[in-house]
Amino acid sequence: MSISSDRIVKKFLVFDENSNSVIDIKDTLDDAVSRADDVYQQPGGYPNLLTVIESYRVLPPA
């Protein structure tokens, strides 16, 4: 089975590895890295390790 490329959307997840939770979802790698850096720059810092994960959403058929 082939899925039309217009149904596949690339996203970048800013993921907190310690709490196993997604902090934010961005459209570009630059935006995701910038968001992770913003989290680390909070007053007092951020104690958990953040990872940016490339993911793909598959949209339902029209």
Side-chain angles (χ1 to χ4, degrees), residues 3-42:
I3 296 175
S4 172
S5 64
D6 63 335
R7 290 184 47 214
I8 301 171
V9 180
K10 185 189 319 186
K11 295 290 181 177
F12 294 90
L13 311 177
V14 180
F15 184 76
D16 181 324
E17 291 194 23
N18 297 76
S19 67
N20 288 326
S21 61
V22 175
I23 292 178
D24 208 343
I25 301 172
K26 297 294 185 182
D27 292 327
T28 68
L29 177 59
D30 286 344
D31 287 347
V33 170
S34 178
R35 176 68 172 115
D37 190 52
D38 288 347
V39 171
Y40 281 134
Q41 298 300 324
Q42 293 179 57

